Amino acid sequence: MQTTSTRRRTSGAILGASALALTAFFSAPAHAAPAAADATCGVLASGASATAQAAVDAACSQIGVWYSWGGGHAATPGASYGFYDGSDPDSLHDGERKGFDCSGLMRYAYYRATGKDLLNGTADDQFHTSQASARFSAGQGTAPLVPGDLMFWGSGHIHHVAMYLGGGQMVEAYESGTHIRVTSVRTGGDYAGAVRINGSGTPVPPPANGGTVFETWGTGVRTHRSPSVGSGVVDTFAGPTQVSVQCQQHAETVTAEGYTNDAWAKLADGSWVTNIYIKGPAWLPGIPDCGGSSTPPPSGGSKAFQTWGTGVRTHSEPNVNAGVVDYFAQPTTVNVVCQKHAQEVTADGYTNDAWSKLTDGSWVTNIYIKGPAWLDGVATC
């Protein structure tokens, strides 16, 4: 007899697929967070905008609150219960700790400062934010920084963020088992640089020439006269920006940043950019084909389903620790070949051990596929 997994809603924080974790079944209580605030937390240098100063004040108001993996990523910015991260023993009780992880704290600080949810996402998403008014390389150190600037760590993929206060100090949610703290800045190791958030709190306006707006990521991204890296360069994006996509088509296969894709997007100015550098799935949802190619039809007796959630990752095996194959920045359609019971996952308030195999051979937890925990009409792998 086949056992069917069930989904269950909890009071945990809302997380993207990057926050998928194994469920921890431990009953020991979390320790109480200290109530005293750190008097050294505040704006410790001049030059910051009023918005940045308000963000510093908001972050400093949380000194002593628990670090909680996934905390701060609920529907509304603010402290929330986290999740076990699946590996760190210190994280076993994060589901009992109401607090913030590193990016959750930054999200909350700028939400309090602007009234807008400008930084909803992971530390990596925040590093590539379109809200940046200035960017600073690791080699520049702290000399050009002002209070409220966000400092990042990671090589290839950003894994940590903190807020600069001035005077060589920063405030951060560091790791499970600790509390939000002020500490000396760290510019060695894998320090990746800093970002200054748009002081007005107003998002950069989208292009006014039609199409569907998407955000790019990466630095030094080039657009071309035709969908080929060998064609003439039309423009270069020094950092993440917004683009207006008219249509897309399958053309030259490109490998970059660990991804391979043959899909290219045609922009409003007539230039082309590989979809690798556009946030979203490999084939952008809701964007028509330019007419130069046709999307391969579903194969292997697959069945189409809709996903939900943001930042959903597919993996090479039915396990959140397996290699990432694709990244769905927003809901999309996937073609499911079969499903199986494998690693149990807890995310977005649901627990399920069912995984779906897609037509490209990758796997995604059924939590992020609309429907019952065990999909109707889909064979067992």
Side-chain angles (χ1 to χ4, degrees):
M1 178 178 176
Q2 181 171 286
T3 302
T4 301
S5 298
T6 58
R7 293 178 178 173
R8 56 185 175 86
R9 173 63 69 182
T10 72
S11 59
I14 294 179
L15 302 176
S18 59
L20 294 179
L22 299 175
T23 308
F25 297 96
F26 293 84
S27 58
H31 299 293
D38 190 331
T40 64
C41 193
V43 177
L44 305 180
S46 61
S49 67
T51 296
Q53 292 183 53
V56 168
D57 291 342
C60 288
S61 73
Q62 302 304 303
I63 290 291
V65 172
W66 277 111
Y67 176 101
S68 187
W69 192 77
H73 294 284
T76 300
S80 61
Y81 291 99
F83 291 88
Y84 174 45
D85 72 359
S87 60
D88 181 4
D90 288 332
S91 179
L92 288 171
H93 299 295
D94 280 349
E96 306 162 42
R97 296 166 176 159
K98 191 173 184 179
F100 299 89
D101 64 13
C102 63
S103 56
L105 180 62
M106 301 302 108
R107 178 194 182 200
Y108 169 75
Y110 271 93
Y111 174 74
R112 284 283 304 274
T114 66
K116 299 177 181 179
D117 194 6
L118 303 180
L119 298 176
N120 187 5
T122 66
D124 191 69
D125 293 328
Q126 292 173 355
F127 182 71
H128 295 105
T129 179
S130 62
Q131 303 297 333
S133 62
R135 295 180 178 275
F136 307 96
S137 68
Q140 291 178 273
T142 60
L145 303 188
V146 298
D149 288 349
L150 305 187
M151 303 178 70
F152 295 89
W153 289 262
S155 178
H157 182 82
I158 300 300
H159 61 79
H160 187 61
V161 58
M163 182 179 290
Y164 186 65
L165 300 175
Q169 301 293 297
M170 64 185 187
V171 58
E172 66 178 348
Y174 183 56
E175 64 180 358
S176 295
T178 67
H179 303 93
I180 294 173
R181 68 183 189 180
V182 172
T183 187
S184 299
V185 299
R186 303 182 296 272
T187 54
D190 63 350
Y191 175 61
V195 169
R196 183 165 300 156
I197 302 302
N198 185 343
S200 69
T202 303
V204 177
N209 46 8
T212 301
V213 175
F214 287 87
E215 288 190 1
T216 68
W217 65 280
T219 58
V221 175
R222 292 171 177 165
T223 65
H224 297 267
R225 289 197 177 94
S226 63
S228 168
V229 295
S231 65
V233 173
V234 176
D235 200 357
T236 301
F237 303 146
T241 187
Q242 291 183 316
V243 292
S244 179
V245 177
Q246 309 294 301
C247 60
Q248 60 190 332
Q249 75 175 53
H250 294 284
E252 181 181 66
T253 299
V254 176
T255 298
E257 311 287 352
Y259 297 97
T260 297
N261 194 0
D262 70 349
W264 288 72
K266 187 176 184 180
L267 308 185
D269 65 356
S271 66
W272 297 80
V273 63
T274 168
N275 282 15
I276 288 174
Y277 289 106
I278 297 180
K279 289 184 178 181
W283 187 256
L284 300 175
I287 302 300
D289 189 279
C290 297
S293 63
S294 59
T295 304
S299 59
S302 64
K303 186 174 181 180
F305 287 87
Q306 290 288 316
T307 68
W308 65 280
T310 58
V312 176
R313 287 168 167 81
T314 67
H315 298 266
S316 57
E317 300 291 339
N319 187 303
V320 296
N321 297 314
V324 174
V325 176
D326 204 351
Y327 175 89
F328 304 148
Q330 54 198 345
T332 188
T333 300
V334 293
N335 293 302
V336 177
V337 177
C338 58
Q339 59 191 330
K340 69 184 292 185
H341 295 286
Q343 183 192 49
E344 187 174 80
V345 174
T346 295
D348 278 316
Y350 297 103
T351 297
N352 195 359
D353 71 348
W355 288 71
S356 286
K357 187 175 184 179
L358 308 184
T359 50
D360 65 356
S362 66
W363 296 82
V364 62
T365 168
N366 281 16
I367 288 174
Y368 288 106
I369 296 180
K370 290 182 178 180
W374 187 258
L375 300 176
D376 296 331
V378 176
T380 300
C381 297

